[in-house]
Amino acid sequence: MKPVIALVGRPNVGKSTLFNRMTKSRDAIVADFAGLTRDRHYGDGRIGEREFIAVDTGGFEPTAESGIVKEMAKQTRQAVAEADAVIFVVDVRGGLSAQDHDIAKFLRTTGKKVVLAANKAEGMVESPLLGEFYELGLGEPHPVSAAHGQGVRSLTEAALADFPFDEDADAEPDPDAPIRLAVAGRPNVGKSTLINTWLGEERLVAFDLPGTTRDAIHVPFERHGQKFELIDTAGLRRKGKVFETIEKFSVVKTLQAIADANVVLLLLDATQGVTDQDAHIAGYILESGRAVVLAVNKWDAVDDYQKQTLQRSIEQRLAFLKFAPLLHISATKRQGLGPVWKAIADAHASATRKMPTPVLTRLLHEAVEHQTPKRAGMFRPKLRYAHQGGMNPPIVVIHGNSLEHVTDSYKRFLEGRFREHFKLVGTPLRIEMRSSRNPFDEK
């Protein structure tokens, strides 16, 4: 399971800049203006083969009593409670402040691993100014420059040092292993009802395996001889007494469950339509390359007009998931649950399908004969052969010359041909282009 790193500190110390560096993105808005970030912000990061989830937070004032600052402090406490490690960002040039002491005092009470990042330290690695930050009692400060990328890698490695790294995560799937299924969706969409219906209806022997420190619950069960492992994002667990204000919908839990799953069942609410939160979760599923099945719950509670409106809304807002099967269910009335299981099994089979090199190459040549890629200036891309580069999601690697000029629309055309032949449903398909090096380039 991906470890979670929360970035915490007072306003305008460079947390969002550091977040963008760690996630290699520009997702967090950055400006020289205190208090710009207010909500928690999540992103995927990677160091070598190690993956993690980074959480950016607003400026933290633990003693805030009212207003927006109190809400921001609540958001930060939530991020710390969800995190496995905390990077406490301070400003070397601004020096130590009373607010830094307040934050350090709060962090010492959490029992979390805390790494101290002394930001804006470009050219100040040996500076005596770093010495005053030892006062915080959080160990040695790591001098970094988020703006220039200096020291960010070693800082991230220090934060991840105590967490095990699963080297077999990308190994070829075991055909006898259970299908790991995550049920994702917004609060009150009916996830718990659906899970309880499954567990009751199928008369399954289910038991909790209280596993990791993050309290993720995996429920094993079997249906018609096929083993599944349900990764819970739905509040099956008892409410934690450690942190009373954690909202029921934990974003981190959902992101981790999606990353750990083979197939994700994304549950939508027919009475609410497709919201921004649904689109965000769907986007993360696609980014993670997971097989996905869309199920619209509470289908019995809407009239024909609402059904048509919802159908159009799904086609427009979730157009990037058009490869996913769409089913209509009612968890409370147990309607439409049989086809969901078939769709899950089909999506998993597609995600782990073996695509032989000769077949892929033949399909590639047929596609090129049917429609050649567009010429780019003097060059026309030459697509020579293709092979499978991975599973879950399936990756097709195409070799040839001048492939950097292949357009996105041509890649979609190739994807359609591969999908049609191998009958891939419910799984994203990634196409990678690898151009041969011209031996005469350097001469």
Side-chain angles (χ1 to χ4, degrees), residues 15 41 63 73 147 173 180 218 252 257 262 273 280 300-301 361 422 441:
K15 296 184 295 298
H41 198 93
T63 53
R180 293 198 303 277
H218 293 231
V252 160
N262 301 125
H280 283 315
D300 57 318
T361 304
F422 289 105
D441 264 356

Side-chain angles (χ1 to χ4, degrees), residues 294-314:
L294 293 173
V296 183
N297 193 23
K298 309 180 187 177
W299 191 246
D300 57 318
V302 291
D303 58 33
D304 286 342
Y305 175 72
Q306 285 173 297
K307 286 176 182 175
Q308 288 171 16
T309 310
L310 181 67
Q311 201 75 29
R312 280 197 298 274
S313 174
I314 291 169

